[in-house]
């Protein structure tokens, strides 16, 4: 825990853009022309174990609905809509993975993969899975800034 | 398929033969208007052998219980006119062929009508009885009974003439990426049929078997309820059952299945 806090502080200092734990709001995320996000969204390093949970949970990322991950074989029912994620940590940099998780459409034009850190631009957005319209206050990003960081940290561990 | 998935034991049953005598078309050439697919397949072809076989014998098909209930309703006088369906239409077999053509343009009404609308028109105007709710058990049962009369006939809805603009509206809905997950019908049922999405084996989302008996719900499910569920799962605000949007979508989706046999009441998981 202590070590994490320290890394967080150093990362914050390195960017030197306000407080160490400043969260970047969905509306303010800066993508490079290739869809990468260079800066941590939460300012706090991601926790791979928490990220793994986010990817498995139907209520959170539910990434395994579309992706197979060998390291997650304890979780039942992996889908096949997206590519297998084994080796994703070799194929992509952290900034690229952050961009893909936050808004994959910036990396893969028109992709079917949902955007997990975005708040606007939807057609008939609903209030979660109720089928009812979402009021602007109800419309949250699918994952929090920290959850995106956690997922990215986990994806970085997927090396071959 | 994945080592983690449900396991797809090679499907041994590949022909849908009902009661050992009636062979249905579950795979055929796509209708000309379909740009991105060359072959269309019924939802039946995507199910496990266990589910498939339930549809092959009317004694095993749990949907038939609901059809029987509708036969009783067919023969029961209701409303101020004290008439039953049977008084004007004789037996349900008089409805043969109708399901394959619905939804269709109704000249008098000046709009596209689904089976539910025809049934309620008779109930309110001819029987002087209460309309049935779109998704009520009475309505689902009756549409199953009427649909069954066309079982085995090829779906053949008209998409041109006065129905064309409704069809185009339905097509637009089919390709619109709704909700916070930004998924269109086409993303799942055109781009990814035969793939698993979590535990679900994605079909082409055809409607030739509706209303279908769903094992998960242990009941008949109407088309609009299915549409509603699929849109809700994209974290979207759905359209209402019986809404103009879903009527248009029903016509468009039906037309994607033109050429497949009517399977009503199909069995799905």
């Amino acid at each position: 825990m202590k070590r994490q806090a320290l890394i967080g502080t150093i990362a914050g200092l390195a960017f030197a853009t306000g407080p160490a734990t400043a969260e970047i709001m969905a509306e303010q995320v800066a993508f490079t022309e290739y869809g990468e996000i260079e800066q941590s969204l939460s300012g706090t390093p991601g926790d791979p174990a928490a990220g793994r949970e986010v990817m498995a949970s139907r209520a959170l990322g539910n990434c395994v609905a579309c992706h197979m991950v060998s390291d997650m074989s304890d979780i039942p029912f992996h889908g096949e809509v997206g590519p297998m994620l084994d080796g994703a940590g070799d194929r992509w940099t952290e900034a690229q993975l952050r961009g893909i998780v936050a808004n994959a459409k910036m990396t893969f034009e028109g992709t079917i993969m949902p955007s997990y850190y975005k708040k606007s631009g939807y057609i008939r957005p609903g209030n979660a899975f109720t089928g009812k319209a979402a009021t602007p206050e109800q419309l949250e990003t699918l994952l929090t800034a920290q959850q995106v960081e956690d997922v990215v940290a986990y994806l970085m561990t997927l090396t071959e | 398929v994945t080592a983690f998935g449900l396991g797809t034991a090679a499907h041994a049953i590949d022909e849908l033969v009902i009661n050992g005598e009636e062979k249905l078309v579950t795979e055929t050439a796509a209708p000309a208007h379909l740009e991105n697919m060359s072959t269309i397949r019924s939802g039946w072809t995507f199910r496990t052998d266990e589910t498939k076989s339930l549809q092959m014998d009317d004694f095993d098909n749990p949907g038939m219980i609901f059809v029987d209930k509708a036969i009783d309703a067919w023969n029961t006088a209701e409303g101020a006119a004290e008439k039953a369906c049977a008084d004007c239409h004789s037996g349900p077999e008089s409805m043969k062929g109708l399901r394959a053509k619905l939804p269709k343009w109704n000249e008098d009404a000046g709009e596209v009508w689904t089976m539910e609308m025809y049934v309620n028109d008779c109930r309110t105007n001819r029987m002087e009885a209460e309309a049935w709710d779109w998704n009520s058990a009475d309505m689902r049962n009756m549409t199953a009974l009427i649909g069954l009369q066309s079982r085995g006939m090829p779906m053949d809805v008209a998409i041109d003439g006065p129905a064309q603009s409704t069809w185009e509206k339905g097509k637009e809905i089919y390709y619109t990426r709704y909700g916070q997950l930004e998924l269109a019908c086409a993303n799942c049922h055109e781009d990814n049929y035969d793939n698993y999405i979590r535990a679900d084996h994605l079909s082409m989302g055809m409607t030739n078997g509706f209303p279908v008996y769903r094992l998960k719900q242990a009941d008949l499910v109407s088309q609009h309820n299915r549409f509603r569920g699929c849109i809700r799962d994209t974290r979207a605000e759905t359209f209402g059952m019986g809404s103009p949007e879903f009527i248009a979508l029903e016509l468009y989706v039906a037309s994607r299945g033109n050429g497949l046999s009517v399977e009503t009441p199909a069995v799905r998981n």
Side-chain angles (χ1 to χ4, degrees):
Chain A
M1 277 282 85
K2 237 195 186 126
R3 207 177 127 253
Q4 288 220 341
L6 188 64
I7 294 170
T9 313
I10 293 169
L13 287 176
F15 293 115
T17 51
T21 52
E23 195 172 291
I24 301 176
M25 298 290 132
E27 300 78 359
Q28 292 151 0
V29 178
F31 291 89
T32 68
E33 65 173 305
Y34 305 108
E36 299 140 309
I37 304 173
E38 307 278 4
Q39 200 172 338
S40 164
L41 296 176
S42 66
T44 304
D47 169 4
R52 193 180 190 275
E53 300 251 315
V54 169
M55 289 187 57
S57 161
R58 281 172 205 272
L60 297 172
N62 200 14
C63 313
V64 295
C66 292
H67 294 285
M68 246 172 70
V69 190
S70 299
D71 178 61
M72 296 178 73
S73 53
D74 56 314
I75 309 294
F77 307 130
H78 297 207
E80 339 168 81
V81 169
M84 192 187 207
L85 295 183
D86 291 11
D90 293 326
R91 282 192 294 282
W92 305 96
T93 66
E94 184 183 306
Q96 286 174 324
L97 288 171
R98 189 180 288 116
I100 292 172
V101 177
N103 186 346
K105 288 162 188 85
M106 305 299 274
T107 301
F108 312 108
E109 203 193 330
T111 184
I112 177 174
M113 178 165 156
S115 305
Y116 287 88
Y117 202 66
K118 182 178 124 166
K119 260 178 115 164
S120 56
Y122 299 121
I123 302 170
R124 296 176 72 86
N127 178 13
F129 294 105
T130 61
K132 302 212 166 65
T135 62
E137 307 83 68
Q138 287 164 337
L139 201 60
E140 299 286 341
T141 54
L142 291 172
L143 296 179
T144 65
Q146 190 57 46
Q147 285 167 337
V148 172
E149 293 304 321
D150 294 345
V151 166
V152 169
Y154 174 67
L155 291 172
M156 289 300 288
T157 70
L158 299 179
T159 52
E160 275 166 340
Chain B
V1 175
T2 92
F4 317 108
L6 285 181
T8 43
H11 288 306
I13 305 178
D14 56 10
E15 284 198 343
L16 174 51
V17 180
I18 307 244
N19 301 331
E21 48 190 37
E22 201 188 348
K23 185 170 179 293
L24 304 198
V25 175
T26 56
E27 178 168 346
T28 189
H33 69 79
L34 258 188
E35 289 138 29
N36 309 322
M37 309 206 321
S38 52
T39 303
I40 50 171
R41 283 162 57 194
S42 156
W44 181 85
T45 66
F46 294 86
R47 308 281 59 100
T48 62
D49 282 358
E50 199 186 3
T51 306
K52 280 176 171 174
S53 60
L54 285 174
Q55 204 184 311
M56 298 177 73
D57 188 315
D58 285 346
F59 285 106
D60 296 333
N61 183 337
M64 289 302 168
I65 297 162
F66 299 93
V67 167
D68 283 344
K69 290 187 185 173
I71 295 177
D72 292 340
W74 182 271
N75 293 314
T76 305
E78 261 197 80
E82 294 179 35
K83 289 250 189 308
C85 319
D87 291 323
C88 300
H89 293 289
S90 66
E93 53 303 337
S94 63
M95 295 284 154
K96 186 177 166 82
L98 184 63
R99 173 66 171 81
K101 299 278 185 188
L102 290 178
K104 68 178 181 186
W105 180 255
N106 179 321
E107 193 58 52
D108 295 337
E111 58 183 2
V112 168
W113 272 25
T114 68
M115 194 185 293
E116 287 85 353
M117 295 159 91
Y118 280 102
V119 170
N120 268 342
D121 181 48
C122 284
R123 285 191 55 84
T124 55
N125 294 323
R126 303 201 170 93
M127 297 165 69
E128 295 167 52
E130 295 261 309
W132 281 330
D133 281 348
W134 199 277
N135 199 39
S136 61
D138 286 323
M139 186 61 92
R140 285 180 278 124
N141 298 349
M142 185 58 76
T143 53
L145 170 65
I146 296 175
L148 172 63
Q149 310 310 312
S150 305
R151 189 168 64 182
M153 298 175 73
M155 283 299 297
D156 183 25
V157 296
I159 66 172
D160 52 1
Q164 192 182 337
S165 64
T166 306
W167 179 81
E168 268 157 14
K169 186 172 148 196
K171 180 175 180 182
E172 193 190 318
I173 293 172
Y174 195 87
Y175 287 99
T176 299
R177 299 183 64 166
Y178 291 110
Q180 224 184 340
L181 300 183
E182 296 176 287
L183 294 172
C185 314
N187 289 134
C188 287
H189 295 298
E190 183 169 287
D191 303 339
N192 280 292
Y193 65 81
D194 249 341
N195 281 335
Y196 275 83
I197 188 163
R198 200 91 206 214
D200 291 315
H201 188 197
L202 284 168
S203 76
M204 293 182 179
M206 293 297 181
T207 48
N208 55 309
F210 277 80
V212 300
Y213 180 87
R214 263 193 101 187
L215 297 164
K216 196 169 144 194
Q217 261 132 304
D219 210 339
L220 291 177
V221 174
S222 68
Q223 295 188 55
H224 289 198
N225 196 24
R226 178 81 241 192
F227 296 167
R228 193 173 66 163
C230 282
I231 293 196
R232 184 198 53 215
D233 287 350
T234 69
R235 297 178 74 112
E237 176 190 7
T238 69
F239 300 101
M241 291 187 271
S243 63
E245 289 85 1
F246 273 175
I247 292 166
L249 186 61
E250 179 176 335
L251 174 61
Y252 177 69
V253 179
S255 79
R256 293 176 67 92
N258 272 352
L260 295 174
S261 298
V262 172
E263 288 178 25
T264 312
V267 182
R268 302 289 185 257
N269 54 326

